[in-house]
Amino acid sequence: MKHKPNLSFWKLWNLSFGFFGVQIAYALQSANISRIFRTLGADPHSLSFFWILPPLMGILVQPIIGTLSDKTWCRYGRRIPYLFIGASVAVAVMCLLPNAGSLGLGISAVMVFGLLMLMLLDTSINMAMQPFKMLVGDMVNEEQKAKAYSIQSFLCNAGSVVGFLFPFFFTWIGIQNVAPEGVVPDSVIWSFYVGAAILILCVIYTTMKVKEWNPQEYEEYNGASENKQEKANWISLLKNAPSTFWKVGLVQFFCWAALLYMWTYVVDAIAETVWNTTDSASEEYQIAGNWTGVLYAIQALGSVIWATILPRFSNIKMAYACSLFLGGIGFALIPFVPNQYAQIIPFLLIGCAWAAMLAMPFTFVTNALQGYGHMGAYLGLFNGTICLPQIIAAICGGSILGLVGGHSSTMMIVSGVLLVIGSCCVSFIKK
């Protein structure tokens, strides 16, 4: 097996640049889905059920895309065709979803339409996102892999900042941030429109700049026989997965359950803690929604800053554990900070955890998978460690909300506890 060549910075950059656009779409979804469905009339105690669809689509779609792309060889590559198709569908859905309340439908029909659009949006985002992780696994050597995923993390956070700030920015330039009851404000609608345009432009750039290896070159550098890959199935792959795959997966379980509760309840938590309201029809609630986007952007900026500090740790496991612990403290602080500007501190701490969650799990796992083959299928299956905890957390969300007194702000403490547990589980991972 030949050693993969070192790639220049710009080649590593081009491998992941389209991730910037995909992450804008993902940021718009994660920051605004609860706000959209609350505006359409959803009850807070059933809100977590709307969040079952995104991870459910991820756990179904990503292993399929990974397995299919492992077996796909065409003039456009093996990963890039799926990237382009997923991005194209996401663009169409991003233009439809925020208009769910403007179609003149009844409340039940609006919810069904919104759920259908959400399912398609997350399916297409997952389809577009997964190829970027696979491209790094395919074409980057072990020495440069951490650098490649760090670049991907930077582009991810940069895209997040843009997507999170869009509603706040459009409100600032004069686009309406309030609308009739049951209708999504124009500031959110235009955020999705512009995000869709940037997404397709970024993906076109990647498809033009990246040339994947042909089957012979791929086998020379990765040492995986195509015949063996065709005979493998998901069950056998999981049985033969390295122990690191499962130990990192345990950490992932607690981390992504914590993130699911943030995405689901943080708008209500900020509105309740800072503006003393949970009325989704009020102007204060929509202001809280915009400010939550700003706080998400602060989180992403904190993640970028922390990502430059992480390489200074001599022990990568210690860096991972400390990052998650700081994030847990950040979550727990949210209900105790009634000043909107002081909320920046908790979200900077959450950004530390986010930086580690984006890069370190894939560094551990792709290094452990070196020489196993089936990189796309394995990374698709590993995505289950992201999706499954979110599904379980979404199913339990309403019950846990009831147990903590029905206060969305208290759910942030639940997230903090989960992240601290994840930090402790890092000790099980072997380098």
Side-chain angles (χ1 to χ4, degrees), residues 266 269-270 273 329-338 343 346-347 350 412:
V266 74
I270 297 298
T273 302
I329 297 299
F331 275 124
L333 285 175
I334 290 175
F336 303 103
V337 182
Q343 285 282 354
F347 279 82
I350 295 170
M412 300 300 97

Side-chain angles (χ1 to χ4, degrees), residues 185-198:
D186 286 344
S187 58
V188 176
I189 293 174
W190 277 99
S191 297
F192 275 77
Y193 287 169
V194 177
I198 295 174

Side-chain angles (χ1 to χ4, degrees), residues 267-280 282-285 287-288 335 337-340 343 407 409:
V267 175
D268 278 34
I270 297 298
E272 180 182 320
T273 302
V274 179
W275 278 273
N276 298 313
T277 184
T278 55
D279 180 8
S280 61
S282 67
E283 182 179 0
E284 290 79 9
Y285 185 89
I287 292 173
V337 182
N339 182 279
Q340 69 179 100
Q343 285 282 354
H407 296 291
S409 55

Side-chain angles (χ1 to χ4, degrees), residues 211-227:
K211 179 175 173 56
E212 296 186 69
W213 289 327
N214 61 41
Q216 292 74 29
E217 290 172 321
Y218 179 86
E219 187 168 340
E220 286 177 6
Y221 288 117
N222 289 278
S225 166
E226 295 305 311
N227 292 329

Side-chain angles (χ1 to χ4, degrees), residues 62-90:
Q62 297 216 30
I64 294 172
I65 297 303
T67 302
L68 290 177
S69 65
D70 278 344
K71 300 176 183 179
T72 296
W73 299 99
C74 68
R75 59 180 295 187
Y76 303 108
R78 64 194 310 221
R79 316 296 189 188
I80 287 177
Y82 296 94
L83 160 65
F84 194 81
I85 293 169
S88 300
V89 175

Side-chain angles (χ1 to χ4, degrees), residues 47 128 175 177 235 254 289 293 303 424:
L47 197 58
I175 295 177
N177 192 47
I235 295 176
F254 295 103
S303 181
C424 295

